[in-house]
Each structure stands twice: as structure tokens, then as C-alpha cells.
């Protein structure tokens, strides 16, 4: 028994309409109705269905730029000529180029000098980039280089489903019989029975009693429905909101601070020597402006002579002009130490989750701006054991069932520790650092009680929880990825 709509769809397929959208347009019905009817017709053997997943590839914005300008490693080869000292290659982007050039066997480093190993021919990845400039291509057209280009974030894959219908001999016979019956009689004959199917029960059908004689279309749960993309919070924002809720539930107070900080709060207050490598231009964004700084005599004394607390300090001469130099904050510790300086009496239990900035070459695992979460606890009698308990509780609330700690080193905490969590498929993964602030950090600001401090890179945790291989997806407006990412990606979020 075939419905009127089934026969109309069967006739459209017989006339050469081979995909659902084409049939829906011709009959002016929804594509979901075509898909449902086609499944039923296929089960009855009246049509054959060929389902395929089509994969196409296109260049990302960065990939398009490299297709025009050349890959960084290719431009590096042209730049160094017969050889160039590595110390002269100051552009952060060249760090990536050196890595790829060495991996491809194009260069070697000999006593600090980068030397080419001949003139490398055009590689498969370079050929693929050039091909993709003409438009989307399939995997078979591009070749084996596609996976490497995807890993480097230069090519974006796009997958779509397709259906192709073809009428069978049995379908042709049913269609022929139905036409013959319709042409010979006003009723419906025995060979093929045409009935009006009801797909939705309405109040009128119930009131009139028509439902007693009607045939209802069965609901086929195997037919893919229309994809709906509801509005939802960005996955990265959702994860940060979860962290914020956990910290508030644990009794912490959220604090904020300026993006632009003086070197005093970003470095000097944390007992980092003024000639420390972290202050160099390749790691820090320096501004041309100077900031006002508080009374610095105690900090100066700590740096030069140890401040009478049993420390030797760094020696030398501490320069207040260096401390006045403004920077884009390189960590959120600049915010928490200033908050402690303004609130030196216990108890203090505060956290900051915000963006920080460093001169990093952009690649799949590094960006020049990223988020950090940092917390501090200052109170009478708090100990290193309390710190470990806080960390274990936080990571447990974040959905990590196994947490362990191993000794670590950080410039302004002692003792220091690195928390590690167990990730299936990866093993133990380090997720941050923690410790007790050194007396050289707290004493200049009149803080007499222990300060427990810890922090982690939020984007790294997001990559683990969202299953990402490219950090840039967290910041790029990739609508396809945002639509496909489920609302809940781990326990508690």
C-alpha cells in the first residue's frame, strides 16, 4: 500500500530527480518529508539509496597568506642565504620556521649558525597550498599532504552528507500500475492501493471522526531530522564561567586589574631581578609610557641587600626608572600581589581570571594573548598542606578524578609544586603551578602571614577538555566548530 505522497516522490525519482533537495523543490514539500518517504520506499525495495559523506578542503586565512607568500620555512631559506647566526633572527615567527625547516631536513645549526642544506625542491604541502588557491578540493585531488596542512591550521576540512536515489524495477512496476489504475477508474484498484495518509493528528480530525478510517504515517526514528543549531554560550566562555563559579563556591573573592601594568607590579614586587630574561623584549610587550609607582624603598632594599629577613637579595643597584616602565601584563600575579599589598591583614582569599600578553609566535599551541586563572590565600597558620588540599578540591570540581603533585620551581614561591591530572589517552598532564610566596615578596608590603598562591593556563585546559589540536579555534569565529561542539563537554559544565 503506497500513499499519494510516496507515489509523487517515486515519480519524481523516475523522472531523474536523484537527491532529496531536488525532489523537495519540485514537489514543494520539506526535505525531511522526502527523506522519510525515501527510507520507506527503500525498505519496500522500490528505490535504491546511495548515501555518502563528502569531504572537501579549503584554505584558512593563514593558509591563503602562505599560499601567496610562501611557507615560513621557505622564506627562511631565502633569508639566510649561505648561513646566518640564530641570534640575529629576532622575529618570533622565525622560531616556527626554524623548527619546520629542521624537521624537513632543509637546514642545520652549526655553532650557532643556521645553514641551508642545499636548495630544497617544492614540497607536497606547498603544491597542495597552490592547488587550493583555485578553490575547494577533495582528498584525492590534494594527496597525503592534507593531514599535515590541517595540523598546521592552514587548511580547514568541511564534511557534508549526500543522498542519491534511483528507482528499481519493482518501483517502476508499482508506478506503472498506479498510473494505469488511476486512468481506468475513479476508485483505486487492487494492484496498487492509493490512500491519503495523515502525518499529524489535528483537532478537526478528532472531532469529525475521520481518524477512524485514516491511515497514519509511521514514525521512522532512523531518518535524520533537520539539524537545529540553538543559541548557546561559547565553549571557552562556558568553561571560564564554570571555573569562576567553583572559586566563588569555595569562598574566594574575584578581583580585577588593569591590562597595562608598571614593571614594578609585574616584575619587581615579585622579586624578579631587573636583569631577568623574562623582562627582555622577546617575552614582554613594552610600552613607551611610564607609570607612577608607590613607595619603593622596601622593595629596593630587598632587591639590593635582602631587607634584613635573612635573604641576600640580588645585589647591584635597583633602578626605579626601570620599575616605572609600563608593560602589557605578562601574568595575573601582577593583580594579586597588588591586591595583597592593599590588604595586608588576614584573612585574604581572592582569585583573578583574565587575559595576559606575551610575545609568542602564533601556532597551534601558542598565541600572544591567553587567559590565566590565579588564586591566593593569606591567613594565620595556613600551610603547604592547605595549598594542596585547595588544589585537589578545585581540580576535582573541574571533573578530574585523579590529581597528583610533583616538586616544581617558580621564581617567587618556595616551596613550589606542579599539579598533574590524569587524562585518558594522554596520561599525567601538568596543569599549572603553585607554591608559598617567598618572604622577599611579602615582607616589603607588611604581610606577616603565609600566602598560598597558584595558577593555571585556562586555554591549555580548554584544549584538553574540548579535544582541540589547535589553540586558535578558541578565538576564531569558526561557526561550524561552534555549532558542532556539544553544550556539555565534561562533568559539571
Amino acid at each position: 500500500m503506497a500513499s499519494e505522497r510516496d507515489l509523487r516522490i517515486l515519480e519524481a525519482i523516475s523522472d531523474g530527480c536523484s537527491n532529496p533537495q531536488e525532489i523537495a523543490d519540485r514537489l514543494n514539500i520539506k526535505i525531511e518529508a522526502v527523506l522519510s518517504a525515501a527510507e520507506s520506499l527503500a525498505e519496500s525495495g522500490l528505490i535504491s539509496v546511495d548515501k555518502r559523506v563528502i569531504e572537501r578542503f579549503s584554505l584558512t586565512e593563514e593558509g591563503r597568506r602562505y599560499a601567496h607568500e610562501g611557507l615560513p620555512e621557505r622564506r627562511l631559506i631565502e633569508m639566510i642565504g649561505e648561513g646566518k647566526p640564530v641570534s640575529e633572527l629576532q622575529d618570533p615567527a622565525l622560531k616556527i620556521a626554524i623548527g619546520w625547516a629542521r624537521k624537513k631536513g632543509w637546514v642545520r645549526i652549526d655553532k650557532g649558525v643556521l645553514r641551508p642544506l642545499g636548495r630544497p625542491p617544492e614540497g607536497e604541502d606547498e603544491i597542495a597550498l597552490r592547488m587550493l588557491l583555485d578553490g575547494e578540493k577533495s582528498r584525492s585531488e590534494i594527496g597525503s599532504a592534507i593531514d599535515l596542512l590541517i595540523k598546521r591550521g592552514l587548511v580547514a576540512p568541511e564534511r557534508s552528507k549526500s543522498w542519491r536515489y534511483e528507482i528499481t524495477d519493482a518501483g517502476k512496476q508499482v508506478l506503472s500500475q498506479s498510473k494505469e489504475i488511476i486512468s481506468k477508474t475513479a476508485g483505486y484498484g487492487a494492484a496498487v492501493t492509493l490512500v491519503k495518509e495523515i502525518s499529524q493528528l489535528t483537532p478537526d480530525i478528532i472531532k469529525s471522526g475521520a481518524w477512524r478510517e485514516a491511515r497514519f504515517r509511521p514514525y521512522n526514528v532512523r531518518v535524520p531530522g533537520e539539524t537545529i543549531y540553538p543559541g548557546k554560550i561559547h565553549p571557552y566562555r562556558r568553561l571560564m564561567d564554570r571555573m569562576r563559579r567553583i572559586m566563588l563556591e569555595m569562598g574566594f573573592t574575584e578581583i580585577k586589574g588593569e591590562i597595562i601594568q608598571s614593571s614594578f607590579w609585574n616584575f619587581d614586587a615579585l622579586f624578579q631581578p631587573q636583569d631577568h630574561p623574562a623582562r627582555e623584549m622577546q617575552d614582554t610587550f613594552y610600552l613607551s609610557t611610564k607609570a607612577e609607582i608607590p613607595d619603593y624603598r622596601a622593595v629596593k632594599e630587598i632587591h639590593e641587600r635582602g631587607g634584613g629577613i635573612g635573604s641576600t637579595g640580588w645585589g647591584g643597584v635597583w633602578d626605579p626608572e626601570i620599575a616605572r616602565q609600563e608593560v602589557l601584563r605578562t601574568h595575573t600575579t601582577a593583580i594579586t600581589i597588588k591586591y595583597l599589598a592593599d590588604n595586608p591583614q588576614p584573612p585574604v582569599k581572592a582569585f583573578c581570571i583574565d587575559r595576559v600578553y606575551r610575545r609568542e609566535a602564533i601556532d597551534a599551541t601558542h598565541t600572544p594573548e591567553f587567559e590565566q586563572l590565579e588564586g591566593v590565600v593569606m591567613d594565620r597558620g595556613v600551610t603547604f598542606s592547605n595549598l594542596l588540599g585547595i588544589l585537589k578540591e578545585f581540580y576535582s570540581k573541574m571533573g578530574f578524578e585523579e590529581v597528583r603533585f610533583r616538586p616544581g620551581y617558580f621564581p617567587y614561591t618556595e616551596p613550589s609544586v606542579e599539579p598533574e591530572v590524569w587524562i585518558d589517552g594522554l596520561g599525567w598532564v601538568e596543569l599549572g603551578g603553585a607554591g608559598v610566596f617567598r618572604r622577599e615578596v611579602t615582607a616589603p608590603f607588611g604581610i606577616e602571614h603565609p600566602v598560598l598562591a597558584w595558577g593555571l593556563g585556562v586555554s591549555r585546559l580548554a584544549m584538553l577538555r574540548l579535544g582541540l589540536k589547535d589553540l586558535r579555534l578558541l578565538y576564531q569565529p569558526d561557526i561550524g566548530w561552534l555549532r558542532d561542539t556539544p553544550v556539555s563537554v565534561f562533568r559539571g559544565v
Side-chain angles (χ1 to χ4, degrees):
M1 185 165 59
S3 70
E4 179 183 345
R5 186 176 64 182
D6 286 346
L7 291 173
R8 291 173 62 204
I9 292 174
L10 193 61
E11 185 175 16
I13 296 172
S14 177
D15 289 344
C17 295
S18 59
N19 68 73
Q21 190 60 60
E22 189 178 4
I23 297 169
D25 293 341
R26 171 171 170 169
L27 302 181
N28 195 26
I29 59 178
K30 290 186 176 181
I31 190 172
E32 291 76 25
V34 176
L35 291 170
S36 176
E39 287 285 342
S40 178
L41 292 170
E43 287 179 359
S44 302
L46 305 183
I47 64 170
S48 61
V49 182
D50 181 16
K51 296 180 184 179
R52 295 185 182 181
V53 176
I54 301 173
E55 190 176 40
R56 304 288 289 178
F57 301 92
S58 59
L59 293 173
T60 62
E61 183 178 344
E62 185 179 12
R64 185 168 296 278
R65 186 173 76 252
Y66 288 163
H68 285 292
E69 301 175 358
L71 288 169
E73 57 266 31
R74 176 65 67 181
R75 288 185 278 122
L76 175 70
I77 291 293
E78 297 171 355
M79 179 189 303
I80 64 176
E82 296 298 319
K84 195 176 187 71
V86 176
S87 59
E88 295 183 13
L89 302 174
Q90 297 295 327
D91 187 349
L94 293 179
K95 295 179 183 178
I96 303 175
I98 293 173
W100 280 108
R102 294 184 68 184
K103 189 173 183 179
K104 292 180 175 182
W106 290 4
V107 299
R108 63 184 174 89
I109 299 178
D110 181 19
K111 297 180 180 180
V113 178
L114 190 68
R115 300 189 185 281
L117 298 174
R119 175 72 181 176
E122 187 177 33
E124 291 183 1
D125 51 355
E126 295 174 295
I127 295 173
L129 283 177
R130 181 161 41 80
M131 290 175 59
L132 285 165
L133 272 177
D134 297 331
E136 291 185 348
K137 296 287 187 296
S138 66
R139 182 178 289 272
S140 61
E141 293 174 297
I142 299 173
S144 59
I146 189 63
D147 293 321
L148 177 62
L149 293 173
I150 292 174
K151 183 179 180 180
R152 294 184 68 172
L154 307 182
V155 170
E158 183 175 337
R159 296 175 178 86
S160 60
K161 295 180 180 179
S162 72
W163 290 262
R164 183 174 181 82
Y165 303 138
E166 187 173 345
I167 192 168
T168 63
D169 291 339
K172 292 176 182 178
Q173 183 178 0
V174 167
L175 190 61
S176 175
Q177 290 175 349
S178 66
K179 290 179 179 180
E180 183 179 349
I181 291 169
I182 292 171
S183 65
K184 289 183 177 180
T185 176
Y188 297 124
V192 176
T193 305
L194 301 181
V195 297
K196 181 71 174 179
E197 282 193 335
I198 295 175
S199 59
Q200 184 176 6
L201 190 62
T202 65
D204 289 339
I205 293 174
I206 295 173
K207 290 176 183 178
S208 66
W211 58 272
R212 293 187 176 90
E213 306 296 331
R215 175 193 172 190
F216 291 91
R217 174 173 287 276
Y219 186 77
N220 189 341
V221 296
R222 292 177 297 176
V223 177
E226 180 181 3
T227 303
I228 299 174
Y229 300 108
K232 56 186 177 183
I233 300 173
H234 191 287
Y236 194 33
R237 170 55 58 187
R238 190 163 61 246
L239 184 141
M240 287 192 287
D241 288 345
R242 173 59 180 163
M243 290 181 170
R244 180 176 285 108
R245 289 197 304 271
I246 290 173
M247 297 301 292
L248 294 172
E249 289 169 2
M250 293 175 67
F252 285 78
T253 298
E254 184 172 10
I255 59 176
K256 292 286 186 179
E258 300 297 329
I259 290 174
I260 297 175
Q261 294 286 334
S262 66
S263 292
F264 178 85
W265 291 115
N266 201 78
F267 298 120
D268 296 278
L270 297 169
F271 196 56
Q272 286 195 20
Q274 292 192 328
D275 59 355
H276 194 281
R279 297 197 185 204
E280 296 179 5
M281 288 295 289
Q282 62 262 33
D283 292 319
T284 306
F285 288 106
Y286 279 91
L287 307 180
S288 60
T289 53
K290 296 291 183 74
E292 293 296 323
I293 59 177
D295 185 350
Y296 54 78
R297 287 175 295 179
V299 172
K300 175 181 172 69
E301 177 65 20
I302 283 284
H303 277 254
E304 292 182 350
R305 288 176 288 276
I309 60 171
S311 172
T312 59
W314 299 115
V317 178
W318 186 87
D319 187 351
E321 290 305 308
I322 294 177
R324 290 190 177 98
Q325 183 71 56
E326 289 191 317
V327 300
L328 295 184
R329 63 188 181 205
T330 61
H331 47 201
T332 49
T333 320
I335 310 304
T336 52
I337 186 59
K338 187 175 187 302
Y339 183 80
L340 286 165
D342 293 337
N343 300 272
Q345 298 304 316
V348 171
K349 198 174 182 182
F351 79 98
C352 178
I353 180 168
D354 221 329
R355 187 165 291 191
V356 298
Y357 306 83
R358 296 179 190 173
R359 288 175 62 89
E360 295 274 9
I362 298 176
D363 60 25
T365 56
H366 298 86
T367 58
E369 49 183 296
F370 53 96
E371 283 70 32
Q372 278 189 338
L373 169 65
E374 184 154 344
V376 291
V377 175
M378 185 264 287
D379 205 352
R380 297 176 178 86
V382 293
T383 67
F384 188 66
S385 295
N386 296 127
L387 174 63
L388 301 186
I390 291 171
L391 292 170
K392 190 168 184 179
E393 179 70 10
F394 172 81
Y395 286 113
S396 176
K397 287 178 176 288
M398 285 297 295
F400 298 103
E401 297 180 358
E402 297 184 65
V403 184
R404 74 178 187 183
F405 305 97
R406 61 182 175 86
Y409 169 77
F410 301 103
Y412 37 87
T413 58
E414 180 61 37
S416 302
V417 69
E418 292 181 346
E420 294 182 329
V421 298
W422 179 263
I423 304 292
D424 289 339
L426 296 177
W428 291 103
V429 177
E430 180 264 314
L431 276 186
V436 181
F437 271 162
R438 295 172 58 159
R439 288 287 291 140
E440 290 94 337
V441 175
T442 57
F445 303 106
I447 300 169
E448 298 296 331
H449 302 282
V451 177
L452 314 179
W454 59 276
L456 63 88
V458 180
S459 56
R460 185 176 185 184
L461 188 147
M463 288 184 71
L464 292 172
R465 280 308 187 190
L466 297 172
L468 302 181
K469 294 184 178 179
D470 194 327
L471 183 64
R472 290 168 289 192
L473 271 176
L474 294 175
Y475 304 98
Q476 292 175 348
D478 188 328
I479 299 301
W481 175 72
L482 294 175
R483 285 175 171 175
D484 293 340
T485 302
V487 171
S488 180
V489 293
F490 61 93
R491 194 183 79 190
V493 177

